């Protein structure tokens, strides 16, 4: 046929078309769908230092740190094979102390990597890419993704460090805080340790350090931690910390550290010793004086039990999230300031959905099934009455701005006095004054009346509060416990019946009587994980007629 | 009636008649079943899949493939391409039969078929695109019938009334094109209301345009395809005039179809780009979509082009078959395969044997009637009394 | 005066025609009939007791289900509304923390079913309910295709009088001042009936008071242009079988573009096609004329040429004749002058010049 040629041409074009499309599809799949099942490693580092200075010629290099550490160790090399030492600290950078020009950097990396790979290859060892294999290192879409478990210095891990006998004591002290904590002395241009001024590392070592600070956050952490761990390791100390990436950032290793922490804590009876930083036991929280603001904060001061809270939190930075050396109100001013991210003092203390604010953290504690039965139903973000505020705000009022100007020690004295007054066991009206049973019969229809074991319920709640300082402090009046069910009416031993507010019809956000009962009982049971009776088992509460 | 070379089939019991008769018989049984048992027992339709092949094939494909009527008459009477004249009558007849059968098939799918005139005469839901479809199909069916009547009048010998109708040709043709544009596109627009149910690769605010443009290609391809089929089977009914122009029609439509398909391919790709749906192309549906627009749009477009350039009738006919299949494929995808794509496989629709049976029955019915008419009325030939009278 | 009125009307018609549904939809936003009713469903309150299903069944006089409404094992399988069930409750979440969600017609502010129906069998009542009128229904089931919530169902097994079945928000009960059946029966007020505006406020207040309990989204406030039925949930809505990708465009907005094109096609196409016809006809006419002219020219040219050759021939003939005559005359003269040759030679010379 004369068409043979044409058909051949046609199929050729189609094949090319299919090829082009196939290529596109591959490209699209890379852009469009994130790789979910790709390998994830904590030690993956993207070498893209040059990217900070100029546009990259080739994609950044994918570097697996632990693989290299292992290989170096097998050859009897240590970190100094790649990292230089600077005043005793191993530099975080590869074969240099300072970043140079892009050209120099390129030189360092290419020579540094390839020379080693070439030597290995010559020795007949399995090794990495060599000259000409550009795309083996410069991979645009690496198959492996970096995923690191967060490695934080919680109080318990912190304790394990400052309690360690392996870390040398500070000169003339019986603590070893100076091994890590330091400040920069501008006068003699040196790092020095000042006792009682210990700070979070990230206060100075920010992501983009300025001024005299050389190292960024990650560089500071790794330089400090890994150098010390290495020294210990070289000195063959009886115990030392991780020196590879996975040691801290690997999912399983991080979990193991946590279990070790827990074991240490358990050994000490669950109570950590306080940090030797001479922090206060009690603090009187007052609104700051701001003379340039017309409206003065007049809220009564709050006595804060600092000592107790140290044990409740994972780390100091749970609350002191920026710095240790400033009070909350210096950034979170009454009107909000740029330093405090325009979060006002009021919000910083009361925001219900923040874990740093007092109320936010307390709300987390209220999720405990023992508490949740009552608290699940209570509206958040709502000020119910002055009494609610006064539970915390029971210090001297700031009208005269007097407490604000007091000496710290005087304020602490007032605070500790107020804290002393807090009850240590649940307060409750006498048990026999609590009705034993309440029969709910206003709504009898196809079911019989429900007999509520009223006293039993209350007593089980109170049992749950025993030994809980927070619960005891906050349920400080004999009738507070009643307030969750008998809400919205003044506290009384003989509260009005539910039906006096909840009628036959829904009103605004006030449920009708039937729903009021059901919501109250079922939500509480649900929140307290009480499986029986099931919400849908009508006859468990009401006998069928 | 005197028709050239009308020898007629020798026996009433030839293969075609036997097979067709059997299918029609079975179809009648199924029809009784459908109207006594209801839609549920005879179909696989359910609450999630209210439309099956009776809509996807009988309506969507039926209407698209009957587009030859307006494309051919427009080419001949509006664009003044006189060489298409001999192809007009077969195309009009096919279109008329196609639409009549669409309406007939709809009787099976509707819950209360006798209420079919309701949207026009009882309660007009003007906000509905289905209303537009209904109104246009009804009007267009009337137009097609009137356009078809001259053939009938010639057969019957009613000269006066034929003359009147012939004078209306241009008006009818323009009216037909307007109505076709509207309802062909509205069939696509039917689905614009359900962006959450139709796969994004097929869903587009431009669906009306897609349906309209593809219907042009479908109509032309159908004329070519049908012409070659009739050529084989009904050669004896064709006069010299028809045979002389046949190849010219094929090349003319082949060229036009190549252009239309190219445009269609282009706007389909633009649609993907417009909604930035590229990433779907790598999924299973993406493969289906690529098959559709590469295998059934780009390929026939290319084959048409080559066929026209080389004056290769065979290639053009192959291209026409691929195009027709492609349109069916597309309508199936929109109405069934890519529709309800979010549902789990167990809740998806596949037609029952009875549904398929009814559809086959209707197609057979169409072919039988087509044969009946073309062997009697002046469709493929000019009536000797009216030679050159157009 | 009359002419001005006519022109004004013409102008108005043109403007009206060029501002079809599409342009309107872009400019206006229908947020439901003022004071229309709705229902707020709170998934954090629903306990999956199926009391609403039972109430719906009773109120609408639907056939009794296979398994009684007390049988909660039914919840373990996913169900949807069908011709005999206007509402179903499904169970989602984990076995320890099940979340229940009731589904029924959402009564869109601008219903897809009503927009899609070609006989206006669906109507959005000012009280919020979307109701169905079986007396005009043809049974095309486009409403079922159109509904983004997959709510309308069909009596497929009914051979003669199949109906589309769906919740009507108990419109008849509402007319009598009663609550919808499901709302009245809910033991936990997981369903609240009220004006839609009021329900939105209640829902927002619940979210504000319990930020940790609710997802900060009120489903149905904007979905598909807004629905009369609103939903609150403690888990993301797609985890309780509600599509979050429906968008906020109402169904009429989705089809507005296609509908807007109708008057344009109907108005423009005849003009365009007529124009094309005129052009193609003129083309063929011009071609005809040109051919005619060419023929005429050719004829004219041919005849002119013929004439020319004729005259030339005649001229030639003339010359030849003359010469012949002269020759003859000469001959005669010569013959006549033969006797007096010398004397008459001068005379013959004069004659010649």
């Amino acid at each position: 046929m004369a068409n043979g040629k044409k058909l051949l041409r046609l199929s050729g074009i189609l094949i090319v078309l299919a090829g082009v499309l196939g290529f596109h599809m591959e490209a699209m799949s890379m852009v469009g769908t994130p790789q979910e099942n790709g390998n994830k490693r904590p030690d993956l580092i993207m070498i893209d230092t040059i990217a900070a200075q100029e546009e990259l010629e080739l994609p950044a290099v994918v570097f697996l740190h632990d693989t290299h550490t292992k290989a170096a160790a097998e050859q009897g090399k240590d970190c100094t094979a790649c990292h230089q030492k600077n005043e005793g600290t191993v530099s975080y950078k590869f074969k240099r102390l300072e970043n140079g020009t892009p050209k120099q950097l390129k030189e360092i990396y290419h020579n540094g990597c390839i020379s080693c790979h070439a030597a290995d290859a010559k020795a007949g060892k399995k090794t990495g890419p060599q000259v000409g294999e550009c795309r083996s290192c410069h991979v645009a879409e690496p198959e492996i993704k970096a995923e690191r478990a967060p490695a934080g210095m919680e109080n318990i891990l912190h304790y394990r460090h400052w309690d360690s006998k392996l870390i040398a004591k500070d000169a003339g002290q019986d603590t070893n805080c100076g091994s890590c904590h330091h400040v920069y002395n501008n006068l003699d241009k040196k790092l020095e340790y000042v006792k009682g001024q210990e700070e979070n590392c990230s206060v100075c070592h920010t992501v983009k350090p300025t001024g005299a600070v050389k190292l960024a956050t990650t560089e500071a952490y790794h330089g400090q931690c890994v150098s010390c761990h290495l020294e210990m390791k070289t000195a063959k100390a009886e115990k030392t910390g991780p020196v590879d990436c996975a040691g801290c950032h690997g999912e399983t290793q991080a979990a193991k550290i946590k279990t070790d922490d827990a074991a240490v804590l358990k050994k000490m009876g669950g109570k950590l010793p306080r940090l030797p930083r001479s922090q206060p036991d009690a603090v009187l929280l007052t609104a700051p004086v701001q003379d340039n603001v017309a409206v003065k904060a007049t809220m009564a001061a709050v006595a804060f039990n600092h000592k107790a809270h140290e044990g409740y939190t994972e780390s100091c930075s749970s609350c002191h999230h920026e710095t240790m050396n400033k009070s909350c109100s210096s950034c979170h001013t009454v009107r909000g300031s740029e330093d405090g991210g325009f979060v006002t003092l009021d919000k910083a203390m009361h925001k219900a959905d923040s874990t740093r604010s007092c109320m936010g953290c307390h709300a987390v504690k209220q999720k405990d099934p023992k508490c949740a039965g009552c608290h699940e139903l209570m509206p958040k973000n709502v000020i119910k009455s002055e009494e609610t505020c006064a539970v915390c705000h029971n210090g001297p009022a700031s009208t005269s701005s007097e407490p604000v100007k007091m000496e710290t020690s005087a304020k602490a004295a007032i605070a500790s006095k107020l804290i002393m007054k807090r009850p240590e066991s649940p307060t409750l009206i006498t048990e026999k004054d609590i009705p034993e049973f309440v029969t709910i019969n206003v709504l009898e229809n196809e079911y019989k009346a429900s007999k509520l074991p009223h006293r039993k319920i209350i007593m089980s709640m109170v049992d749950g509060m025993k030994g809980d300082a927070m619960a005891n402090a906050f349920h400080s009046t004999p009738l507070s416990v009643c307030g969750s069910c008998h809400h919205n009416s003044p506290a009384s031993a003989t509260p009005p019946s539910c039906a006096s507010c909840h009628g036959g019809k829904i009103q605004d956000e006030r449920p009708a009587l039937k729903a009021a009962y059901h919501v109250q009982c079922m939500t509480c049971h649900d929140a307290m994980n009480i499986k029986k009776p099931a919400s849908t088992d009508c006859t468990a509460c009401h006998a069928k007629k | 009636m005197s028709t050239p070379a009308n020898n007629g089939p020798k026996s009433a019991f030839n293969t075609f008649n036997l097979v067709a008769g059997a299918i029609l018989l079975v179809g009648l049984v199924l029809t009784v079943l459908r109207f006594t048992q209801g839609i549920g027992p005879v179909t696989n339709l359910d609450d999630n899949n209210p439309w099956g092949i009776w809509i996807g094939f009988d309506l969507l494909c039926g209407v698209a493939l009957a587009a030859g009527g307006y494309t051919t008459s427009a080419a001949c009477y509006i664009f003044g391409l006189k060489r298409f004249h001999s192809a007009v009558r077969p195309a009009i007849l096919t279109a008329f039969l196609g639409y009549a059968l669409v309406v007939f098939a709809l009787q099976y799918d509707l819950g209360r078929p006798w209420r079919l005139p309701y949207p026009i005469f009882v309660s007009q839901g003007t906000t509905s695109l289905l209303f537009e479809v209904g109104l246009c199909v009804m009007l267009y069916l009337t137009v097609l019938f009137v356009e078809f009547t001259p053939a009938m009048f010639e057969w019957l010998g009613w000269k006066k009334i034929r003359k009147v109708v012939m004078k209306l040709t241009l008006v009818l043709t323009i009216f037909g094109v307007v109505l076709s544009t509207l309802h062909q596109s509205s069939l696509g627009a039917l689905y614009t209301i359900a962006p959450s149910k139709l796969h994004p690769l097929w869903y587009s605010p431009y669906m009306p345009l897609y349906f309209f443009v593809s219907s042009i290609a479908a109509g032309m391809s159908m004329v070519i395809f049908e012409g070659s089929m009739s050529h084989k089977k009904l050669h004896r009914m064709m006069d010299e005039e028809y045979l002389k122009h046949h190849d010219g029609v094929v090349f003319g439509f082949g060229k036009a179809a190549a252009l239309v398909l190219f445009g269609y391919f282009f706007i389909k790709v633009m649609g993907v780009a417009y909604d930035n749906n590229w990433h779907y192309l790598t999924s299973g549906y993406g493969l289906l979509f690529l098959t559709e627009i590469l295998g059934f749009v780009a390929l026939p477009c290319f084959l048409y082009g080559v066929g026209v350039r080389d004056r290769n009738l065979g290639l053009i006919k192959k291209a026409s078959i691929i195009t027709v299949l492609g349109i069916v494929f597309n309508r199936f995808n929109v109405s069934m395969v890519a529709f309800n794509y979010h549902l789990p496989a167990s809740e998806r629709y596949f037609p029952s044997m009875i549904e398929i049976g009814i559809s086959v029955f209707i197609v057979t019915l169409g072919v039988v009637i087509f044969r009946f008419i073309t062997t009697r009325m002046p469709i493929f030939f000019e009536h000797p009394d009216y030679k050159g009278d157009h | 005066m009359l002419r001005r009125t006519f022109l004004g009307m013409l102008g108005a018609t043109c403007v009206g025609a060029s501002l079809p549904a599409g342009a309107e939809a872009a400019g206006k936003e229908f947020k439901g009939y003022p004071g229309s009713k709705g229902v707020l469903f709170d998934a954090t309150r629903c306990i999956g007791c199926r009391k609403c299903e039972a109430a719906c069944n009773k109120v609408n006089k639907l056939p009794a289900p296979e398994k009684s409404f007390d049988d909660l094992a039914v919840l373990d399988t996913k169900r949807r509304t069908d011709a005999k069930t206007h509402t179903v409750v499904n169970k989602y979440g984990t076995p320890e923390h099940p979340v229940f969600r009731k589904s029924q017609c959402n009564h869109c502010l601008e219903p897809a079913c009503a927009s899609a129906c070609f006989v206006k069998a669906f109507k959005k009542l000012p009280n919020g309910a979307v109701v169905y009128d079986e007396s005009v229904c043809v049974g095309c089931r486009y409403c079922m295709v159109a509904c983004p919530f997959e709510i309308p169902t069909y009596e497929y097994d009914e051979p003669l009088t199949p109906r589309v079945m769906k919740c009507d928000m108990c419109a008849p009960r509402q007319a009598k001042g009663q609550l919808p059946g499901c709302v009245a029966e809910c033991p936990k007020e997981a369903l609240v009936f009220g004006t839609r505006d009021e329900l939105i406020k209640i829902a927002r207040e619940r979210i504000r008071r319990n930020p940790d309990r609710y997802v900060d989204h009120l489903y149905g406030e904007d979905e598909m242009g807004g629905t009369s039925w609103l939903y609150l949930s403690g888990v993301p809505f797609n985890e309780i079988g509600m599509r979050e990708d429906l968008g906020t465009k109402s169904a009429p907005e989705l089809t507005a573009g296609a509908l807007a094109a109708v008057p344009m096609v109907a108005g423009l196409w005849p003009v365009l096609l007529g124009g094309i016809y005129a052009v193609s006809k003129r083309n063929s006419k011009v071609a005809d004329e040109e051919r005619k002219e060419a023929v005429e020219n050719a004829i004219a040219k041919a005849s002119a040429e013929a004439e020319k050759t004729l005259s030339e021939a005649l001229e030639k003939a003339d010359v030849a004749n003359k010469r012949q005559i002269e020759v003859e005359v000469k001959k005669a003269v010569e013959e006549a002058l033969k006797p007096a040759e010398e004397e008459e030679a001068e005379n013959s010379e004069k004659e010649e010049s």
Side-chain angles (χ1 to χ4, degrees), chain C residues 173-204:
Chain C
R173 278 173 65 93
Q174 272 197 58
K176 281 190 267 174
Q178 289 171 309
L179 288 174
C182 51
V183 177
E185 205 55 36
C186 181
K188 263 197 91 184
E189 258 167 43
L191 296 168
V192 178
F193 179 83
T195 60
R196 188 173 181 269
D197 298 339
E198 201 57 41
L199 293 177
I200 291 174
K201 280 182 204 151
I202 290 176
R204 289 262 164 253

Side-chain angles (χ1 to χ4, degrees), chain A residues 173-193:
Chain A
Q173 306 278 354
D174 57 351
T175 54
N176 55 14
C177 309
S179 298
C180 298
H181 291 279
H182 52 243
V183 285
Y184 184 72
N185 190 328
N186 265 324
L187 290 175
D188 51 9
K189 312 261 179 238
K190 262 188 186 163
L191 294 176
E192 57 177 38
Y193 169 64

Side-chain angles (χ1 to χ4, degrees), chain B residues 18-257:
Chain B
L18 281 176
V19 172
I23 293 176
L24 294 185
L25 212 65
V26 172
L28 284 175
V29 173
L30 295 180
T31 305
V32 172
L33 218 58
R34 149 71 184 92
F35 287 102
T36 51
Q37 302 293 303
I39 301 173
V42 297
T43 66
N44 280 348
L45 297 176
D46 58 33
D47 292 329
N48 285 330
N49 303 286
W51 284 359
I53 57 163
W54 288 349
I55 296 293
F57 180 74
D58 300 4
L59 177 68
L60 294 185
C61 297
V63 168
L65 298 179
Y70 82 92
T71 38
T72 315
S73 54
C76 177
Y77 297 126
I78 294 174
F79 291 84
L81 305 171
K82 291 284 184 274
R83 66 187 151 139
F84 287 104
H85 191 263
S86 63
V88 170
R89 276 205 178 164
I92 294 280
L93 174 64
T94 321
F96 172 61
L97 281 180
Y99 277 89
L101 287 173
V102 163
V103 175
F104 178 67
L106 217 51
Q107 306 298 317
Y108 288 83
D109 189 67
L110 291 178
R112 308 191 195 195
W114 56 91
R115 283 184 176 176
L116 190 55
Y118 270 35
I120 290 148
F121 300 110
V122 176
S123 176
Q124 295 82 7
T126 46
T127 55
S128 173
L129 282 155
L130 200 60
F131 174 77
E132 194 193 330
V133 172
L135 186 65
C136 290
V137 168
M138 188 202 77
L139 291 174
Y140 188 47
L141 192 59
T142 318
V143 167
L144 280 172
F145 178 71
V146 177
E147 282 188 303
F148 163 71
T149 46
M152 204 169 66
F153 294 145
E154 285 170 19
W155 180 54
L156 294 169
W158 298 354
K159 292 190 181 178
K160 269 188 186 163
I161 190 163
R162 177 194 171 275
K163 213 172 171 185
V164 174
V165 175
M166 288 303 275
K167 276 190 180 147
L168 287 172
T169 304
L170 178 69
V171 177
L172 285 176
T173 305
I174 291 185
F175 200 38
V177 175
V178 172
L179 291 171
S180 294
T181 311
L182 288 178
H183 75 256
Q184 292 284 3
S185 57
S186 306
L187 282 178
L190 282 183
Y191 288 90
T192 54
I193 204 168
S196 56
K197 293 187 180 177
L198 188 56
H199 192 277
L201 279 174
W202 282 270
Y203 183 87
S204 161
Y206 296 121
M207 264 194 301
L209 198 63
Y210 294 161
F211 269 57
F212 174 60
V213 175
S214 60
S215 84
I216 300 175
M220 293 174 177
S221 302
M222 207 50 197
V223 170
I224 297 173
F225 171 66
E226 214 177 65
S228 63
M229 284 297 290
S230 312
H231 218 60
K232 264 187 208 158
K233 305 286 176 196
L234 294 163
H235 195 269
R236 62 200 154 82
M237 296 306 301
M238 294 166 180
D239 67 355
E240 264 178 42
E241 180 72 13
Y242 181 87
L243 293 173
K244 192 176 84 191
H245 285 303
H246 178 71
D247 289 2
V249 169
V250 170
F251 287 129
F253 269 165
K255 197 171 178 181

